[in-house]
Amino acid sequence: MWKNIEERAIHCGEYIVKTGCTVRACADALGSSKSTVHKDVTERLYYLDAALWEKVQKVLGINLQERHLRGGNATRLKYEKKRDCGKN
């Protein structure tokens, strides 16, 4: 549990910039909810560290553009696995 909301927001922002991960991946890694991480990096971080906020927005923008590719790949893998299990 984080005692200081500001520390958590900055830590989330730094983690996302460092790893290039999604909000969900950041939430899993840091033990927070997706909603909390999203609010931290989109709203709170702007007032705490505007330069870091801009970097995070770039990463989130890239993730948003690639979202349909990741979803399509996950669906493809799902059906490949289902097809492979049926061959036995």
Side-chain angles (χ1 to χ4, degrees):
M1 180 67 87
W2 291 86
K3 294 181 181 178
N4 191 342
I5 294 172
E6 290 84 10
E7 283 181 21
R8 182 185 67 212
I10 291 172
H11 187 67
C12 288
E14 289 172 346
Y15 185 80
I16 289 175
V17 170
K18 179 180 175 184
T19 61
C21 68
T22 62
V23 170
R24 284 180 192 257
C26 180
D28 288 342
L30 301 179
S32 296
S33 71
K34 179 186 73 82
S35 301
T36 300
V37 171
H38 188 267
K39 185 166 181 94
D40 283 347
V41 298
T42 58
E43 295 178 20
R44 293 183 179 122
L45 192 59
Y46 179 78
Y47 299 105
L48 299 171
D49 188 345
L52 180 58
W53 179 83
E54 286 184 25
K55 292 176 186 176
V56 170
Q57 294 309 305
K58 287 180 184 176
V59 173
L60 295 180
I62 292 168
N63 288 341
L64 183 64
Q65 291 174 353
E66 295 174 351
R67 179 174 61 185
H68 70 286
L69 298 173
R70 283 192 298 272
N73 191 40
T75 302
R76 181 181 58 80
L77 292 174
K78 171 185 170 184
Y79 286 106
E80 282 180 0
K81 183 177 179 182
K82 196 181 266 191
R83 184 182 66 223
D84 291 344
C85 289
K87 288 184 178 180
N88 293 333

